């Protein structure tokens, strides 16, 4: 999106504001499906938690995606967006048996990631198809080394416990229709991902009624020029060939599933803020903006380096700034960053603001969550209003104190 279009949106809808580019989301979706064009049955389940606005979900539906969900509320959002239950997979961690049963009753695909629930669910509902989340204990390292993920991760059932899984499945006669992994780490190296996939294939051989194998996500997107990005095309070529071979050996065509969040929406998002104050100290120039970790917590939570541009003065002389928020807490977005000269009142744009940004926003400091805008076919649509004072008080109950 051009700077003048972004500035116009800030004028029309106010700031801070999140802006998403539908074209970019579509491009990423098409890139992924094109990379796996050699797989007959491909299913892309968008990870709702990355960005859960209902208009974004509807866009995903239009593109042909299903949904990956981690709470019954995300399932309900998906249903409200018009998804069929059968196109929603439920991949929670540490939720109650009751919640899993409720989602199963809605008709969604259940994915179980611990032995306790597997045994309880299988005993009570042996006919409901269940996918099993495996922890292959493989983490993507920064280079070609294959490092073993720590054995005490809370996600998935350890591959070392496969004998126990098989005993539960045998004892309950439950129907396992899918095998899943989501290592949660960035795929920096395709060989590491393929190595983990081999573990998944090995596991899959133990089950006779599979319909799909779900390879989760972890596709890495660039945050700044020169960043490593998962080579989707290369992964597509290699994994497709291997997957098709597996199906041949297995004796039945299976569906290859992915559940990307970040890959589909990260780069489509920009976050615009206003510069309230430029403050010089003895060693630093701070640009203080009308936001903080209440709106965008990734830099403070994960150390994410979002690119920041001064779209009010894009051609200005570059100077070094620390960009910080207005929250009464350390809320540094960027340290010692080269940005074209900033004046009070300028608008700064944060890149890669589509995934895990608005969805992690809060009301800390009793601030309103920002508005969200979707640019679809060149036109800006408000898809979430900025909060108001009523929203802050909405669920609060005032006690009437007697004198
Ligand atoms: C969060 C999550 C994803 C999405 O991960 P990204 O890195 O955003 O692509 C996929 N699957 C599961 C089970 C998740 O919890």
């Amino acid at each position: 999106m051009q700077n003048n279009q972004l500035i116009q949106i800030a004028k029309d809808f106010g700031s801070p504001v999140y802006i998403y580019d539908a074209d970019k989301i579509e491009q990423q979706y098409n890139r992924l499906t094109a990379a796996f064009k050699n797989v007959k049955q491909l299913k892309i389940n968008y990870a709702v938690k990355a960005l859960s606005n209902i208009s974004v979900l509807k866009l995903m539906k239009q593109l042909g995606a299903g949904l990956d969900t981690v709470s019954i509320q995300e399932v309900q959002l998906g249903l409200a967006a018009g998804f069929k239950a059968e196109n929603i997979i439920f991949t929670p961690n540490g939720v109650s048996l009751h919640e899993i049963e409720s989602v199963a009753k809605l008709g969604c695909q259940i994915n179980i990631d611990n032995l306790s629930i597997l045994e309880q669910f299988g005993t009570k509902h042996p006919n409901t198809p269940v996918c099993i989340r495996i922890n292959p204990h493989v983490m993507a390292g920064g280079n070609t080394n294959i490092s073993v993920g720590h054995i005490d991760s809370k996600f998935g059932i350890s591959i070392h416990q496969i004998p126990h899984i098989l005993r539960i499945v045998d004892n309950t006669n439950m129907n396992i229709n899918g095998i899943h992994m989501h290592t949660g780490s960035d795929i920096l190296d395709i060989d590491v991902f393929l190595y983990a996939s081999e573990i998944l294939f090995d596991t899959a051989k133990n089950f006779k009624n599979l319909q799909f194998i779900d390879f989760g996500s972890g596709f890495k997107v660039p945050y700044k020029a020169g960043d490593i990005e998962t080579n989707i095309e290369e992964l597509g070529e290699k994994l497709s060939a291997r997957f098709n071979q597996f199906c041949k050996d297995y004796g039945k065509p299976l569906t290859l599933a992915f559940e990307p969040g970040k890959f589909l929406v990260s780069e489509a998002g920009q976050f615009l803020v206003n510069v309230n104050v430029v403050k010089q100290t003895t060693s630093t120039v701070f640009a203080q903006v009308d936001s903080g970790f209440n709106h965008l917590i990734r830099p403070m939570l994960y150390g994410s380096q979002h690119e920041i541009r001064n779209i009010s003065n894009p051609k200005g002389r570059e100077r070094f700034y620390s960009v910080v928020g207005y929250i009464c807490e350390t809320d540094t977005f960027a340290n010692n960053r080269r940005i074209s000269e900033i004046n009070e009142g300028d608008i700064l744009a944060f890149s890669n603001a589509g995934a895990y940004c608005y969805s992690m926003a809060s009301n800390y400091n009793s601030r309103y969550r920002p508005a969200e805008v979707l640019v679809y076919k060149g036109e800006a649509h408000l898809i979430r209003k900025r909060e108001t004072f009523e929203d802050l008080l909405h669920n609060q109950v005032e006690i009437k104190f007697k004198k």
Side-chain angles (χ1 to χ4, degrees), residues 47 49 68 70 91 133 180 182 217-218 259-263 356:
K49 73 179 186 293
D68 174 66
V70 295
T91 309
R133 178 174 184 173
H180 168 276
H182 172 65
S217 182
E259 43 194 40
K262 198 187 275 182
F263 181 81
Y356 308 104

Side-chain angles (χ1 to χ4, degrees), residues 274-278 287-291 326 344-346:
N274 252 292
V275 178
N276 283 339
V277 178
V278 176
Q288 287 202 280
V289 302
D290 59 350
S291 184
Y326 64 0
E344 291 174 0
D346 283 353

